[in-house]
Amino acid sequence: MGARAILETAAAFPGHLGYGLFRPSRDGAPWFLVHRFRDQEAFRRWQDSPERAAFFANCEGHRHTETARRELHGMETWFAEPGTTRPAPPRWKMAVSSGLAIFPISLAGNALIGPYLVDLHLVLRTAAFAAVFSTLMTYVAMPAVSRLLRPWLTRA
């Protein structure tokens, strides 16, 4: 029973949104299994399940042990540093960081695509902006801002 079996079993649970398997940063270090669940209740069903317990009780030569658990909620996932269990920065720092990411996207979006959408119905225009903004925030702005501000974000 390998890590893939654990991930696939968890994926069959109601409310499971996805998973990941991350290589260790160095030889001999633990692998990281990441699960995403819709809500705390869905997470608890998996966490307390006999299926999960069986993986950790009967590993057949594999070292399936939980070395650390870190539960992230909401925006904290943007600020998590892979391979660490460091806590998320304070919420006010996350708010400042996301504001710094939102501002240029909002400015550019309104200047560049706003004029082309002015004749659209309010709901369609808002949906277009939401799609562009959320995509740019997820794949461009937040990774860049969290990387640039990491020293400030992780300072106590």
Side-chain angles (χ1 to χ4, degrees), residues 49-129:
S49 72
E51 292 90 340
R52 182 185 179 280
F55 282 112
F56 289 92
N58 181 14
C59 298
E60 297 179 12
H62 296 281
R63 292 183 311 134
H64 293 155
T65 59
E66 189 170 73
T67 58
R69 178 183 311 159
R70 187 168 165 204
E71 295 180 26
L72 301 178
H73 306 277
M75 284 181 32
E76 296 172 10
T77 58
W78 275 341
F79 298 97
E81 188 173 349
T84 70
T85 57
R86 179 181 300 140
R91 287 184 180 208
W92 70 270
K93 286 186 176 185
M94 290 190 285
V96 168
S97 300
S98 58
L100 290 172
I102 290 169
F103 179 75
I105 292 173
S106 298
L107 185 63
N110 281 302
L112 299 175
I113 65 172
Y116 298 102
L117 303 177
V118 73
D119 293 330
L120 282 180
H121 185 275
L122 174 65
V123 173
L124 293 175
R125 186 172 60 239
T126 303
F129 274 116

Side-chain angles (χ1 to χ4, degrees), residues 1-11 33 35 46 51 55 64:
M1 287 192 273
R4 287 271 174 224
I6 295 171
L7 295 169
E8 290 169 2
T9 303
L33 279 70
H35 301 282
W46 161 248
E51 292 90 340
F55 282 112
H64 293 155

Side-chain angles (χ1 to χ4, degrees), residues 3 14 18 23 32 86 101 141:
R23 292 183 182 278
F32 292 90
R86 179 181 300 140

